[in-house]
Amino acid sequence: MRILIVEDDLRLAGLIKRGLEAEGFDTELAHDGHTGLRQARQGDHDAIMLDVMLPGLSGHAICRQLRHDRLDTPILMLTARDGEYDEADGLDEGADDYMTKPFSYVVLAARLRALIRRGGRARPKILRLGEVTVDLTAARCMRAGQEITLTAKEFAILEYLAGRAGAAVSKRDILDQVWDVAFDGEPNIVEVYISSIRRKIGRMAIETVRGIGYRLTDQRP
């Protein structure tokens, strides 16, 4: 389980990192708001921890922007302030949980595991990618009333990208999620399938993220 920790207090960030890694988490650090927002957008995280008071961008502003980007990764807000209005602000911006400093690392780890089990916010069952409509429940893809035929593998890739909409997803992540665990071929096979999907639904729907992988874009409710 991979956690992004956005905390400007270097000592506290290091303690959280060590505490969570002792609980079996993989962690990534950011120490200011702009860096945290960039890493949240680019990374494939199971949960994000945001301090409220950050240089550059506040935790609330990052949370608001990530939800605007349709990134549904669970978000846990951290604050040194203990007040119901501050907590309400974070939840209203789209946060999933809230903790006040100081806290127990055992409880923090348990709260993160609970968030990850529940998953992010409800994901849409109907995607609109430009002129294309994708029904994830019925496994159908349509353009102007005409059905677009996707193979089972192509649809599985599109569905996985939709579940991480707004986040960059690596070829390895796609292989791990869509291919059999015994697959030992080249990761570049993903490029072949992405190319085929783009030809069918439009090139702009799936963006190439240099050095990382792919991101589903142009999604509208």
Side-chain angles (χ1 to χ4, degrees):
M1 291 177 285
R2 189 176 182 208
I3 309 297
L4 172 62
I5 304 164
V6 188
E7 168 61 63
D8 63 324
D9 184 324
L10 301 185
R11 178 178 176 276
L12 178 58
L15 290 172
I16 295 173
K17 177 180 174 67
R18 289 193 294 274
L20 291 181
E21 288 179 349
E23 293 286 331
F25 291 90
D26 181 23
T27 63
E28 179 181 348
L29 291 177
H31 299 302
D32 65 81
H34 290 292
T35 301
L37 178 60
R38 184 177 66 253
Q39 290 178 210
R41 283 171 164 167
Q42 294 179 347
D44 185 15
H45 307 99
D46 294 294
I48 299 169
M49 293 177 56
L50 292 176
D51 187 27
V52 169
M53 302 298 291
L54 292 166
L57 285 175
S58 71
H60 288 164
I62 295 172
C63 183
R64 183 167 59 249
Q65 186 59 57
L66 293 177
R67 295 315 188 210
H68 179 268
D69 293 346
R70 303 185 189 279
L71 187 71
D72 61 2
T73 305
I75 293 175
L76 175 68
M77 303 290 291
L78 298 176
T79 182
R81 296 178 291 181
D82 185 6
E84 61 181 14
Y85 292 107
D86 194 40
E87 179 175 353
D89 287 343
L91 296 175
D92 285 344
E93 298 292 357
D96 298 279
D97 201 356
Y98 211 94
M99 288 192 71
T100 303
K101 305 172 187 175
F103 47 79
S104 160
Y105 294 110
V106 174
V107 173
L108 173 62
R111 297 276 281 270
L112 286 171
R113 282 192 289 266
L115 282 180
I116 293 169
R117 282 196 303 272
R118 293 202 302 266
R121 311 180 116 200
R123 294 167 182 165
K125 299 301 181 183
I126 303 292
L127 306 178
R128 289 179 175 83
L129 307 169
E131 299 178 344
V132 175
T133 299
V134 182
D135 186 330
L136 297 178
T137 302
R140 299 185 70 188
C141 189
M142 308 286 290
R143 179 191 282 121
Q146 298 296 314
E147 187 156 3
I148 300 170
T149 302
L150 296 176
T151 67
K153 195 75 73 179
E154 288 168 350
F155 199 90
I157 292 171
L158 184 58
E159 185 173 22
Y160 179 62
L161 289 174
R164 314 295 295 187
V169 180
S170 70
K171 294 177 187 177
R172 175 50 58 187
D173 287 333
I174 294 173
L175 282 175
D176 290 345
Q177 292 294 323
V178 176
W179 268 258
D180 186 273
V181 293
F183 178 80
D184 60 357
E186 290 295 323
N188 286 342
I189 188 64
V190 175
E191 294 180 13
V192 176
Y193 280 89
I194 292 291
S195 178
S196 177
I197 296 170
R198 283 170 165 165
R199 285 196 302 271
K200 295 178 179 181
I201 69 173
R203 298 194 59 82
M204 298 304 294
I206 301 176
E207 174 188 359
T208 297
V209 183
R210 188 181 300 275
I212 300 177
Y214 304 99
R215 178 190 293 123
L216 188 69
T217 62
D218 195 26
Q219 179 186 344
R220 296 188 295 275

